[in-house]
């Protein structure tokens, strides 16, 4: 996935007006393979909830302005990669939450700026989950000072500003519900 992102970024460099986007979502589990078609044409496709969830995670990149999202189930099988926890999400059409992480780079490639951004962001997520809206807003603004294009910080900043004036229901656990694909 990291190599795909690098290749697309290289491809996009000489292009000024049109950029090919890249969004990758990965989830892990058991799938079924099914056939689709008729006598003269068959296609074999993976089907099931795992495939659907991976597709929803790919789409979640649009909301978060990220490129590679992985579930906790995928992260359990990865070593040597730097990532940041983005929280629990319930994608559109789903009832079960998914713990989502952004895959950033190989561990040996992480920069000091990325580490600082992730530390501030993690503190912001902690404040968000405790419903400390003012503190969370300040932390996400701080993260955006480090990297003005950080999509997850922008996403949570808007969410915290919304909850500041219209708090979530009692019993809220920090899960983000998405109603669109």
């Amino acid at each position: 996935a990291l190599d795909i992102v690098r290749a697309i970024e290289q491809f996009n460099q000489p292009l000024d007006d049109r950029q090919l986007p890249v969004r990758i979502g990965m989830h892990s589990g058991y799938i079924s393979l099914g056939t689709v078609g008729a006598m003269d044409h068959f296609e074999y496709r993976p089907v099931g909830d795992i495939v659907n969830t991976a597709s929803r995670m790919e789409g979640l990149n649009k909301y978060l302005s990220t490129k590679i999202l992985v579930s906790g189930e995928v992260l359990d099988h990865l070593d040597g990669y730097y990532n940041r926890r983005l929280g629990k999400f319930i994608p559109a059409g789903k009832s079960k939450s998914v713990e989502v992480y952004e895959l950033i780079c190989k561990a040996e490639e992480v920069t000091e700026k990325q580490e600082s951004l992730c530390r501030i962001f993690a503190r912001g997520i902690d404040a968000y989950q405790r419903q400390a809206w003012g503190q969370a807003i300040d932390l996400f603004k701080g993260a955006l000072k480090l990297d003005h294009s950080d999509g997850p910080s922008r996403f949570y900043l808007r969410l915290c500003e919304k909850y500041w004036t219209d708090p979530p229901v009692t019993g809220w656990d920090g899960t983000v519900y998405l109603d669109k694909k």
Side-chain angles (χ1 to χ4, degrees):
L2 292 169
D3 289 342
I4 290 170
V5 168
R6 282 189 196 106
I8 297 296
E9 287 173 348
Q10 277 186 304
F11 176 82
N12 284 337
Q13 278 181 351
L15 307 174
D16 291 331
D17 56 339
R18 295 184 201 193
Q19 298 283 305
L20 183 63
V22 60
R23 294 187 295 268
I24 299 171
M26 291 187 273
H27 188 48
S28 178
Y30 292 99
I31 62 167
S32 297
L33 289 176
T35 58
V36 178
M39 296 273 279
D40 61 340
H41 178 76
F42 280 104
E43 290 182 27
Y44 292 92
R45 294 184 184 170
V47 294
D49 189 59
I50 299 300
V51 177
N52 191 291
T53 300
S55 175
R56 296 292 195 274
M57 289 184 61
E58 180 271 329
L60 180 57
N61 280 294
K62 287 185 264 184
Y63 289 96
L64 298 173
S65 299
T66 50
K67 295 179 181 174
I68 306 171
L69 296 179
V70 300
S71 67
E73 289 83 355
V74 170
L75 196 62
D76 289 343
H77 301 285
L78 290 179
D79 288 323
Y81 293 90
Y82 194 75
N83 64 79
R84 71 170 156 172
R85 180 181 171 275
L86 299 180
K88 285 185 180 179
F89 291 81
I90 296 182
K94 298 287 183 182
S95 58
K96 185 180 173 190
S97 67
V98 179
E99 190 75 40
V100 177
Y101 297 82
E102 178 184 20
L103 187 63
I104 297 174
C105 62
K106 291 181 179 176
E108 65 270 10
E109 297 172 346
V110 67
T111 65
E112 190 175 310
K113 180 181 175 183
Q114 289 170 320
E115 285 181 327
S116 295
L117 177 69
C118 290
R119 273 194 304 274
I120 294 169
F121 183 84
R123 290 175 48 215
I125 288 289
D126 179 61
Y128 164 81
Q129 291 177 321
R130 289 184 288 108
Q131 299 184 35
W133 310 124
Q135 182 184 10
I137 288 168
D138 290 343
L139 287 162
F140 292 128
K141 283 181 178 178
L144 286 167
K145 283 182 185 175
L146 275 179
D147 182 354
H148 71 280
S149 67
D150 186 53
S153 293
R154 196 175 313 111
F155 176 87
Y156 275 104
L157 175 61
R158 284 192 300 262
L159 202 52
C160 289
E161 289 172 341
K162 175 188 161 222
Y163 285 149
W164 180 279
T165 57
D166 186 19
V169 297
T170 303
W172 175 83
D173 68 354
T175 300
V176 178
Y177 294 83
L178 299 173
D179 56 0
K180 296 179 186 174
K181 292 181 184 180

